[in-house]
Amino acid sequence: MTKKIFKTNVARLLDAAEINYELVPYEVDENDLSAIHVAQSLNEDVNQVFKTLVLSGDKIKHLVCVIPGAEEVDLKKAARASGNKKVELIAQKELLPLTGYIRGGCCPIGMKKNFPTYFHQTINNFEHIYVSAGVRGLQLRIAPQDLIDYIPGSSVVDLI
C-alpha cells in the first residue's frame, strides 16, 4: 500500500503559478536530517539535492542560500554576493519564527517573508534538482530555472 502524499503550502503555491514539479517522499531519520541522507534515501546524486540555509547579515538582515547538499556555504562569498561585509547562519531556534519552516524542512518557496535568495551556480548543471517541499520527509523535484524564476529577485552565484 502506498502512502498518501499530502500537498504542502509549497505545492499549492507552485500549482497556483502553474509550475511543473513532483513531490517525492523519503524516510526521515530524526538523527540525520542531512541532505546527504536525503540523497541516499532518494538514490540521487547529493549534488542534485540542494539544502536551504538562512543567514543574517550586517546590512541585509536576512538572506537565503540554496547550495548542494554535501557542501558548506562560504560565508565570505555569501556576504560578497549579498552586499554584506559579513554574514552568519541564523540560530536554529530562529528558523521557525522567521521562515515558518523547521530544520530539515526549510524550502526557499513560501517563507513568511520574501528574502533575497542566492542559488549556487551548480544548480544549472542539472535538468532537475531536489529541495525540501516544506516538511521533513518530502522533497520537491523541480527544474532549476523554474525555481529560480519563481523566487523574486533571486540570483545564481558562487557560494561554496
Side-chain angles (χ1 to χ4, degrees):
M1 185 165 122
T2 57
K3 187 175 161 183
K4 174 130 173 79
I5 300 173
F6 293 95
K7 289 230 175 184
T8 62
N9 188 46
V10 171
R12 287 187 283 279
L13 289 168
L14 292 173
D15 286 347
E18 298 181 351
I19 294 174
N20 290 325
Y21 66 90
E22 181 183 346
L23 292 174
V24 183
Y26 68 94
E27 196 64 41
V28 176
D29 179 350
E30 294 294 333
N31 297 314
D32 184 2
L33 298 174
S34 72
I36 295 168
H37 167 74
V38 173
Q40 290 168 342
S41 298
L42 298 175
N43 200 28
E44 289 287 350
D45 178 352
V46 71
N47 294 308
Q48 211 167 340
V49 177
F50 282 70
K51 59 186 174 186
T52 303
L53 305 172
V54 182
L55 293 80
S56 62
D58 61 326
K59 293 189 175 133
I60 296 176
K61 188 162 172 123
H62 294 104
L63 58 133
V64 176
C65 291
V66 183
I67 65 171
E71 302 295 335
E72 296 296 323
V73 67
D74 182 318
L75 297 177
K76 289 183 180 178
K77 288 180 180 180
R80 195 168 30 253
S82 63
N84 284 287
K85 287 191 178 176
K86 69 178 228 179
V87 295
E88 61 186 14
L89 288 167
I90 65 167
Q92 187 175 323
K93 67 180 182 193
E94 295 176 50
L95 189 62
L96 180 60
L98 184 65
T99 66
Y101 294 123
I102 60 172
R103 181 172 172 259
C106 190
C107 180
I109 297 170
M111 291 188 181
K112 287 183 175 182
K113 291 171 84 175
N114 289 329
F115 299 112
T117 302
Y118 302 89
F119 293 94
H120 186 261
Q121 60 199 14
T122 57
I123 196 169
N124 290 318
N125 295 351
F126 304 102
E127 188 176 311
H128 65 269
I129 59 145
Y130 295 86
V131 293
S132 173
V135 294
R136 291 178 183 165
L138 197 59
Q139 288 284 300
L140 181 70
R141 183 180 188 265
I142 189 168
Q145 199 59 53
D146 288 345
L147 179 60
I148 294 163
D149 291 346
Y150 180 77
I151 298 174
S154 61
S155 304
V156 177
V157 296
D158 182 13
L159 293 169
I160 55 177

